[in-house]
Structure formats: structure tokens, C-alpha cells
Amino acid sequence: MSEDTDLSTLLAVLDDEYARDILTHTSVEPMSASTLSERCDASLPTIYRRLDRLEECHLVTEETELAPDGNHYSVYSANLDRLELSLENGSFSLDLTYREEDVADTFTRMWEGMR
């Protein structure tokens, strides 16, 4: 788990239905906030607030994509791969595993975004 994120903060974020929906959708493919708004049936301000909280906990990442018309926009991807909460000897332990992206995949996505 990130040194900046404590257990209670992370659990509070994951307690939110919209945050969980965002993680679920972005674990399949990167999505823009407007797409997430449609898929999660939530307003854009609600989506952006949840994205901010998820980013603070390092559970999603933001990347910029270039649209065919030359404009750019942000897409979000789930960064969480695995979360394990355990209780041992009277204390909770949280182990987060983040997704690791292959350098070649990163380069390919960057290259495709520039075309």
C-alpha cells in the first residue's frame, strides 16, 4: 500500500459504489470521464470527485490521449490488481498489488495515440 494512503482512507474510498463502479469499468479498458459518467449513471462532477479520490490512493492512473481532431482528453485505467485484507494477532494488514504494464505496451499505446 502507498505510504500516503492509510487503511481507513482506502476502505472509505472502496465503500463508495461509484468508486467501485469506476474501478470495475476501467479494469477492462481505459475510459474517459464522460464515458464513465454514462456507464456508472452518475454526473460528471460525481465521476471527477471519485476519480480524484481513487488517484490519491493510486488505484487509477490518468493518461492523455489525442483525438483524431487534434484535441486531447484524459482516460483513466484501474491500477489495482489485487487487494488483500487480513487480520492477524489483533491488527489489520493490507496488501495491495498494482498492475505492471510492459514497456513495449506503453510505447505502442503512445505511438498509436500520436497517429
Side-chain angles (χ1 to χ4, degrees), residues 2-115:
S2 166
E3 294 174 10
D4 299 341
T5 306
D6 64 8
L7 176 62
S8 59
T9 301
L10 184 65
L11 292 177
V13 168
L14 293 175
D15 186 43
D16 183 85
E17 178 184 348
Y18 292 120
R20 289 191 312 271
D21 282 350
I22 289 168
L23 283 174
T24 302
H25 289 296
T26 59
S27 71
V28 177
E29 65 180 308
M31 293 187 178
S32 67
S34 60
T35 300
L36 285 166
S37 176
E38 293 169 13
R39 300 260 175 104
C40 298
D41 193 28
S43 68
L44 268 175
T46 297
I47 294 298
Y48 279 118
R49 279 192 303 272
R50 292 337 185 266
L51 285 168
D52 286 344
R53 293 183 71 196
L54 288 165
E55 280 185 291
E56 288 171 7
C57 293
H58 308 288
L59 298 177
V60 296
T61 57
E62 176 184 8
E63 295 182 22
T64 302
E65 290 203 358
L66 189 60
D69 63 1
N71 290 319
H72 63 281
Y73 62 98
S74 293
V75 293
Y76 301 87
S77 299
N79 193 35
L80 178 65
D81 186 45
R82 181 183 170 114
L83 181 142
E84 185 176 319
L85 179 64
S86 57
L87 175 62
E88 293 181 33
N89 299 322
S91 67
F92 285 100
S93 172
L94 183 65
D95 184 32
L96 294 176
T97 306
Y98 297 104
R99 291 183 175 187
E100 292 185 27
E101 186 172 39
D102 185 286
V103 174
D105 290 340
T106 304
F107 181 76
T108 300
R109 196 178 61 255
M110 247 178 37
W111 179 257
E112 288 174 351
M114 293 185 338
R115 290 194 274 166

